[in-house]
Amino acid sequence: ARFYAALIGEVDDVTRRARLFDPATTELARAEESSGPDRVLVVGTRFGLGYMLHGSASPFLSPGSFGHPGRGGALGFADPETGVAFGYVTNGFRKTVTADPRAQALVRAVRTSLGTDG
């Protein structure tokens, strides 16, 4: 979550404030560059430059979110509109790569807490 937070804003550090992407780079990361059937994941995906985009294979917080799910249930993303960065890892490995139900339950809870679940 801290990595994704540093992509969309400043993150406090003991000695400095850091931001990894300037706003223009953030826009490139979340602008759709490709979409369609993914030959590796065997599902339809959408990608910006280096990151998956919100969609059925990778449901993040909102359409402007970008990040990536991981094998076994992990999920990380940033949502520039809300300023939310999200990271979830698990030691309960599942065979899925995308849309793990455990991570998605947490994403729904974040949406609800923000009042954006409608």
Side-chain angles (χ1 to χ4, degrees), residues 2 5 7-8 16 19 22 25 33 42 57 60-61 71 73 79 84 86-87 97 104-107 113-114 116 118:
R2 191 169 175 83
L7 295 179
I8 61 172
R16 66 189 182 327
R19 180 179 177 139
D22 64 28
T25 304
E33 289 292 323
V42 195
F60 302 141
L61 194 58
R71 181 81 175 152
D79 186 72
V84 169
F86 181 93
V97 176
Q104 289 309 303
L106 294 172
V107 172
S113 73
L114 294 170
T116 60

Side-chain angles (χ1 to χ4, degrees), residues 37-43 97:
D38 189 298
R39 291 181 181 182
V40 174
L41 300 176
V42 195
V43 295
V97 176

Side-chain angles (χ1 to χ4, degrees), residues 6-21:
L7 295 179
I8 61 172
E10 293 182 348
V11 176
D12 288 329
D13 196 315
V14 174
T15 58
R16 66 189 182 327
R17 299 190 90 158
R19 180 179 177 139
L20 299 177
F21 282 179

Side-chain angles (χ1 to χ4, degrees), residues 36-118:
D38 189 298
R39 291 181 181 182
V40 174
L41 300 176
V42 195
V43 295
T45 59
R46 297 175 56 236
F47 276 88
L49 292 179
Y51 296 90
M52 284 182 83
L53 304 177
H54 176 79
S56 60
S58 53
F60 302 141
L61 194 58
S62 74
S65 300
F66 64 98
H68 212 288
R71 181 81 175 152
L75 178 64
F77 65 82
D79 186 72
E81 279 77 26
T82 62
V84 169
F86 181 93
Y88 171 73
V89 294
T90 176
N91 64 358
F93 189 82
R94 298 245 173 121
K95 293 182 181 180
T96 62
V97 176
T98 61
D100 183 276
R102 298 165 300 174
Q104 289 309 303
L106 294 172
V107 172
R108 282 190 303 277
V110 172
R111 266 193 220 107
T112 298
S113 73
L114 294 170
T116 60
D117 58 346

